[in-house]
Amino acid sequence: MPVATNDGVSCYYERAGAGDPVVFVGDVGYGAWQWGWQHAAVAGPYESVVTDVRGAGRSDAPPGPYSVPDLVSDLVSVLSDAGLRSATVVGAGLGGLVGLEAARTSGRVDRLVCLGSGASGADLDLEPLYGSPEDPETLERSLERALSAEFVDAHPDAVRQMVAWRSDEDAARAAWEAQAAAVADYSLAEPYRVTTPTLVVHGLEDAVWPADRGRELADALPRGEFVGVEGAGHLVHVERSKPVNDELLGFLADA
């Protein structure tokens, strides 16, 4: 089980497949379960590297608050530990901010995919996404805010499975707040400097990160492209995995 270390913080990651590397960086509070659908699509033609953001899963949860630069340093540590000079980075929510800042500052990002993210986390209310790993009822209620009502109604078994995964992997309250602080404090400086090809995918029914933030991000980037997914909420890559994976694999194939 590979673990990278950044200034005493252990950052867990898993890798599978062969080919050009694709590194996944998750959203506030969620464990690596959120990438199961994309990992299955990518591993094989590409190398899939799934990380646990500090505070969640099997990574350390040092006292917060955290910052996006902290998480960029974690990402660079994972790349270095894995022997990767650079990679495509796929980030959801908070992970999208990490990918943007890494592309702006590190030179380690070849291509970038931002899912349900934007250029800034200011003025977002992330509280509806929190669920205590020890309380299945709050986990289920928070999923109802992260997913579309149609998905929740149509896939009760999938929602129950996500609750079980979240109980095992998601961040406890203190770590969740530390990650949320990183979102609240971040705003992308000089977006014109992010010349990395960037695909921005957003659920058009996202009740937490408005889709307009995704559009604005794509418009601000020199090589940004926006794709809106009808009927999807914040966890667009979970509930609409097939169209998202189609966009992701098409974007990777264009490299």
Side-chain angles (χ1 to χ4, degrees), residues 6 22 27 34 42 73 76-77 94 101 103 115 132 143 150 162 167 171 184 186 192 196 199 212 219 239 246:
N6 176 31
V22 181
D27 201 358
Q34 68 188 287
V42 165
S73 294
V76 170
S77 295
L94 169 61
E101 187 65 8
L115 304 168
S132 170
L143 281 172
E150 291 77 11
M162 289 178 215
S167 294
Y186 183 78
Y192 62 87
T196 306
L199 175 66
D212 284 348
D219 288 345
E239 66 172 305
D246 288 345

Side-chain angles (χ1 to χ4, degrees), residues 28 68 93-94 97 100 116-127 179-189 202 207-210 212-214 216:
V28 171
V68 168
L94 169 61
L97 304 183
L100 285 165
S117 193
S120 171
D123 302 320
L124 292 176
D125 180 12
L126 301 182
E127 185 65 29
Q179 293 179 0
V183 173
D185 290 345
Y186 183 78
S187 184
L188 177 64
H202 221 107
V208 180
W209 288 71
D212 284 348
R213 295 208 180 202
E216 291 165 1

Side-chain angles (χ1 to χ4, degrees), residues 5 90 108 132 188 226:
T5 302
V90 181
R108 306 291 292 262
S132 170
L188 177 64
F226 178 80

Side-chain angles (χ1 to χ4, degrees), residues 149-169:
E150 291 77 11
F151 182 89
V152 172
D153 290 342
H155 302 284
D157 291 344
V159 172
R160 283 191 290 271
Q161 180 61 74
M162 289 178 215
V163 168
W165 287 329
R166 295 186 68 190
S167 294
D168 289 339
E169 300 181 21

Side-chain angles (χ1 to χ4, degrees), residues 28-31 33 127-147 152 158-173 176 235:
V28 171
Y30 300 128
W33 66 266
E127 185 65 29
L129 298 179
Y130 175 72
S132 170
E134 299 177 352
D135 186 346
E137 289 186 4
T138 65
L139 291 173
E140 184 167 347
R141 283 199 301 271
S142 62
L143 281 172
E144 291 172 357
R145 296 301 303 273
L147 302 163
V152 172
V159 172
R160 283 191 290 271
Q161 180 61 74
M162 289 178 215
V163 168
W165 287 329
R166 295 186 68 190
S167 294
D168 289 339
E169 300 181 21
D170 277 14
R173 181 72 197 192
W176 185 92
L235 290 176

Side-chain angles (χ1 to χ4, degrees), residues 174-239:
W176 185 92
E177 290 178 349
Q179 293 179 0
V183 173
D185 290 345
Y186 183 78
S187 184
L188 177 64
E190 301 175 323
Y192 62 87
R193 293 187 181 275
V194 180
T195 57
T196 306
T198 303
L199 175 66
V200 181
V201 181
H202 221 107
L204 296 180
E205 304 303 321
D206 192 331
V208 180
W209 288 71
D212 284 348
R213 295 208 180 202
R215 289 192 184 92
E216 291 165 1
L217 171 61
D219 288 345
L221 298 175
R223 302 175 72 184
E225 174 189 358
F226 178 80
V227 174
V229 181
E230 295 283 351
H234 181 59
L235 290 176
V236 60
H237 56 301
V238 172
E239 66 172 305

Side-chain angles (χ1 to χ4, degrees), residues 4-11 54 60 62-63 69-70 73-74 76-78:
T5 302
N6 176 31
D7 195 22
V9 177
S10 294
C11 303
R54 66 164 67 189
D60 284 349
D70 290 336
S73 294
D74 291 347
V76 170
S77 295
V78 167

